[in-house]
Amino acid sequence: LRVVPLAGLAATAAKDAEAARRIIGGKLPDVWFDESWVSDLRFKQWTEDPAYGPWSIRAIGLKATGDVVGAMNCHHRPMDFVHDGKASLAVEIGYTIYEPWRRKGIAYEAITGFNRWAASQGVSNIVLSISPDNQASLALARKLGAVQIGTQIDEIDGPEDIYLAPV
């Protein structure tokens, strides 16, 4: 995983593909810009709260080729989280792997790598919000040792099951 620098996030949010490719490096595909609303949102969070920076968007790149094959981000800085009467520090993550790299274990590797770093920052758990129809992400949640702790209706994504996984 590589953390996308603030300047790279700013260029992505500004839809400046040339600058983003130059700053982020690697082989940044056009699909990186397809959901620029996420970059807009994360850039706004970062400018409002500089401490959010390390938790913002990360590029998922292949070491061997330099291809950027996906992205992951935290929805917020680590926060106190209570489940079953136990308090911990948790962060909610989102991720996407681009075609044709899906179902090759890349998301699992990216998240477990992120988890090692997050644990070093005091985080104990990650939260995943997954559509009940997303079989690939549900299987990944099980592989990560996640347990379902609730449901919600997301205003953008619709129904979601909420999972808690140890880092």
Side-chain angles (χ1 to χ4, degrees), residues 82-113:
V82 178
H83 177 68
D84 283 343
K86 297 177 188 170
S88 67
L89 198 58
V91 65
E92 183 172 2
I93 65 167
Y95 57 89
T96 187
I97 302 298
Y98 309 135
E99 289 290 351
W101 295 286
R102 291 183 178 154
R103 300 185 190 262
K104 298 180 186 296
I106 294 170
Y108 178 78
E109 183 178 344
I111 293 170
T112 55

Side-chain angles (χ1 to χ4, degrees), residues 12-137:
T12 300
K15 293 151 192 69
D16 185 343
E18 183 179 322
R21 284 187 171 100
R22 184 179 64 252
I23 295 164
I24 296 168
K27 299 174 186 168
L28 192 62
D30 291 339
V31 69
W32 176 266
F33 302 96
D34 285 352
E35 296 202 10
S36 60
W37 69 269
V38 176
S39 297
D40 296 342
L41 176 64
R42 300 304 177 229
F43 183 65
K44 182 180 178 193
Q45 285 176 273
W46 201 338
T47 56
E48 291 174 357
D49 179 9
Y52 170 69
W55 303 95
S56 187
I57 292 177
R58 296 166 181 259
I60 299 172
L62 300 180
K63 288 181 184 179
T65 64
D67 289 314
V68 173
V69 299
M72 67 179 299
N73 68 91
C74 296
H75 295 200
H76 49 75
R77 288 192 290 147
M79 62 183 196
D80 292 329
F81 187 85
V82 178
H83 177 68
D84 283 343
K86 297 177 188 170
S88 67
L89 198 58
V91 65
E92 183 172 2
I93 65 167
Y95 57 89
T96 187
I97 302 298
Y98 309 135
E99 289 290 351
W101 295 286
R102 291 183 178 154
R103 300 185 190 262
K104 298 180 186 296
I106 294 170
Y108 178 78
E109 183 178 344
I111 293 170
T112 55
F114 169 81
N115 284 352
R116 285 189 297 276
W117 175 80
S120 76
Q121 304 302 304
V123 172
S124 300
N125 294 291
I126 57 169
V127 176
L128 303 161
S129 299
I130 303 171
S131 165
D133 298 327
N134 187 336
Q135 294 304 312
S137 286

Side-chain angles (χ1 to χ4, degrees), residues 143-166:
K143 189 174 181 180
L144 291 167
V147 295
Q148 185 176 350
I149 60 169
T151 61
Q152 69 181 11
I153 303 294
D154 184 88
E155 60 188 46
I156 296 171
D157 298 322
E160 294 178 328
D161 293 331
I162 303 168
Y163 292 84
L164 185 66

